[in-house]
Each structure stands twice: as C-alpha cells, then as structure tokens.
Amino acid sequence: SNTDLLSTADIAGILGVSRQYVTDHLTKTPAFPRPAVNLSQVMRRWSRGDVMRFLTARNIDRRLATKASSLVLSAPNALH
C-alpha cells in the first residue's frame, strides 16, 4: 500500500531534516536502500521497511524509529 512507501519529504519529516538533505546526501549514501519506485528524480518512493532497517543500522535515535514505524501518512503520496 502507499503507506508502506516513503517519499523524500516523508523521510525528511521522520528525521527532521530538509528534503534537499535527503535528496543530496542521504539517498547518495552507498548503504541507503534503492528506491522501490523509481519513475523519475521527482517520483521516487522507498520501502518503509528498507528505510527503517537502514536507520536502525546507522543507530538513528530509537525514538525516531518508533515515530517512523507508527507514522500514518495523512494524504496520498504527492509528488515532492
């Protein structure tokens, strides 16, 4: 379902960083998961599970992981 897919904006919101940071830095980290959907630079979505495993492996704050796993997207994934 769409709630299992994260946009760059979703990932930025989980981490409290800018979309630009996610696009320019995080997604270019070699260990960062490949997009589950990759239609274009602006239409990419990542598996929530893949992203959460990456964040956990990188020792991202546990509260963020808890917040992210319980995050319910309030709107369908729009283009970001």
Side-chain angles (χ1 to χ4, degrees):
S1 74
N2 278 350
T3 57
D4 294 325
L5 295 176
L6 300 176
S7 67
T8 52
D10 297 327
I11 296 167
I14 289 167
L15 294 174
V17 298
S18 69
R19 274 195 338 237
Q20 196 74 33
Y21 176 83
V22 173
T23 300
D24 291 349
H25 299 285
L26 197 60
T27 62
K28 293 179 179 168
T29 302
F32 196 78
R34 306 282 302 162
V37 175
N38 194 10
L39 299 180
S40 71
Q41 181 72 19
V42 295
M43 183 56 187
R44 295 185 295 170
R45 299 290 181 270
W46 287 263
S47 158
R48 178 184 300 277
D50 289 349
V51 171
M52 295 316 301
R53 280 186 288 278
F54 170 82
L55 297 179
T56 301
R58 299 283 288 230
N59 296 318
I60 300 296
D61 187 285
R62 192 173 310 217
R63 285 168 300 173
L64 284 175
T66 302
K67 174 184 169 191
S69 63
S70 63
L71 182 70
V72 175
L73 302 179
S74 57
N77 286 334
L79 291 178
H80 293 293

